[in-house]
Amino acid sequence: MGLCVPFFLMNIDIPILAEGKKVYFASDFHLGAPDFETSLDRERRIIAWLDYVAADAQVLFLVGDLFDFWFEYRHVVPKGYVRFLGKLAELSDRGIEIVVFVGNHDLWLGDYLKEQLGATILHQSQSLIIGGRKFFIAHGDGLNPLDGKFRVIKKVFTNPVCQWLFSWLHPDVGITLANLWSGKSRHSQKGTSCDKHLIAHSERMQGSQYHDFYIYGDSHVDRYHELSNGAVYCNLGDWMDRDSYAEFDGDELKLLYFSL
């Protein structure tokens, strides 16, 4: 029996790609980790990649964990990342559509990127059509059926009352505590175990909800893997160690690596 996986449908299908245009996917930038200097170097590499893909990008999918931690107070957001956010604003102004999936490290993303960048913010996995092919896209957290502990924690963190209580902490206190938790979470989830669970999840979905491509982040393991019935599993890896991303030209999906 196939697994019925809930996902939230929005009108973000891209039935036809414009001539010469491509769709790009990347995830797990973890900006802010593990320290300022390392994060800044990574941010500059990401900006160079964004400049590279801007030449033919129609849509840019950022599939979660852009920041190692993010919280939007009423009048405050975490400092830093100005180069990255400025570059996204530039791409948006040039007509490139930006779609951001919320990950487990930046699950408190609110309307800031939507208001400032015109980005589409998605808090759930998506099934959509791109260039006539069917994609399932998700950050990947919480899809392991045995990971009940994480799902409980996520319900607590996404509870509006809990978010309101956290907002009463001074940002210097709240962000410091959150960064400590975030570092622990990042190290505990990274690895092939998460990757294997996502592959198994995709195979289960194939039984009742066929897709041509399954795209995830979360595991930090870059992988292009053929599933049953000709479908493809693609994990985007990360930008902490791999600088990996995916490119779709309307026909073929490729897992690629960026270098300066």
Side-chain angles (χ1 to χ4, degrees):
M1 180 180 295
L3 177 69
C4 181
V5 177
F7 45 79
F8 185 66
L9 294 174
M10 293 185 67
N11 187 24
I12 57 172
D13 286 346
I14 311 159
I16 300 175
L17 294 182
E19 184 176 356
K21 293 295 184 178
K22 298 177 181 178
V23 177
Y24 290 93
F25 307 84
S27 73
D28 293 273
F29 297 162
H30 286 277
L31 291 173
D35 54 59
F36 174 78
E37 290 78 12
T38 305
S39 176
L40 181 59
D41 179 69
R42 186 183 319 125
E43 185 176 7
R44 287 175 170 145
R45 297 198 313 271
I46 293 167
I47 290 168
W49 172 71
L50 290 171
D51 282 332
Y52 171 74
V53 303
D56 58 7
Q58 180 170 329
V59 184
L60 175 64
F61 284 91
L62 301 176
V63 192
D65 285 357
L66 306 186
F67 309 100
D68 205 51
F69 169 73
W70 183 270
F71 186 81
E72 295 178 19
Y73 295 85
R74 181 176 298 179
H75 300 295
V76 177
V77 295
K79 71 177 183 179
Y81 325 125
V82 293
R83 296 166 180 82
F84 174 62
L85 295 174
K87 181 57 64 176
L88 290 183
E90 176 190 325
L91 298 188
S92 178
D93 289 345
R94 291 170 59 177
I96 298 172
E97 184 177 355
I98 299 171
V99 181
V100 177
F101 283 76
V102 172
N104 52 305
H105 282 257
D106 47 21
L107 54 82
W108 282 340
L109 273 171
D111 293 332
Y112 183 74
L113 298 187
K114 178 181 178 180
E115 293 171 353
Q116 297 296 319
L117 310 177
T120 299
I121 310 298
L122 301 175
H123 291 261
Q124 303 289 340
S125 56
Q126 293 287 312
S127 179
L128 64 154
I129 302 297
I130 303 176
R133 310 293 290 277
K134 192 172 183 181
F135 283 71
F136 178 81
I137 307 174
H139 179 62
D141 55 306
L143 295 181
N144 177 1
L146 302 178
D147 199 1
K149 179 180 178 181
F150 170 77
R151 286 192 289 274
V152 171
I153 293 173
K154 187 172 183 178
K155 285 183 178 180
V156 173
F157 282 178
T158 55
N159 183 283
V161 174
C162 294
Q163 293 182 33
W164 177 79
L165 291 172
F166 184 87
S167 72
W168 279 92
L169 291 175
H170 188 281
D172 287 348
V173 176
I175 292 176
T176 298
L177 292 174
N179 282 334
L180 291 173
W181 173 272
S182 184
K184 179 181 178 181
S185 173
R186 176 167 23 90
H187 290 298
S188 67
Q189 294 187 20
K190 185 176 179 180
T192 57
S193 175
C194 176
D195 182 56
K196 290 179 180 178
H197 285 302
L198 291 175
I199 291 175
H201 170 268
S202 303
E203 289 284 12
R204 290 193 297 269
M205 282 193 68
Q206 281 295 85
S208 60
Q209 304 176 50
Y210 178 83
H211 295 78
D212 296 293
F213 302 103
Y214 293 83
I215 294 184
Y216 305 92
D218 194 40
S219 74
H220 293 225
V221 177
D222 47 312
R223 188 184 302 278
Y224 187 96
H225 175 76
E226 291 189 7
L227 301 170
S228 59
N229 301 325
V232 167
Y233 165 92
C234 180
N235 196 291
L236 299 169
D238 66 22
W239 280 70
M240 302 191 76
D241 301 310
R242 295 163 175 81
D243 294 3
S244 48
Y245 67 99
E247 169 194 287
F248 180 65
D249 62 4
D251 180 40
E252 184 179 5
L253 180 74
K254 298 178 181 178
L255 181 63
L256 302 170
Y257 301 86
F258 181 73
S259 61
L260 293 172

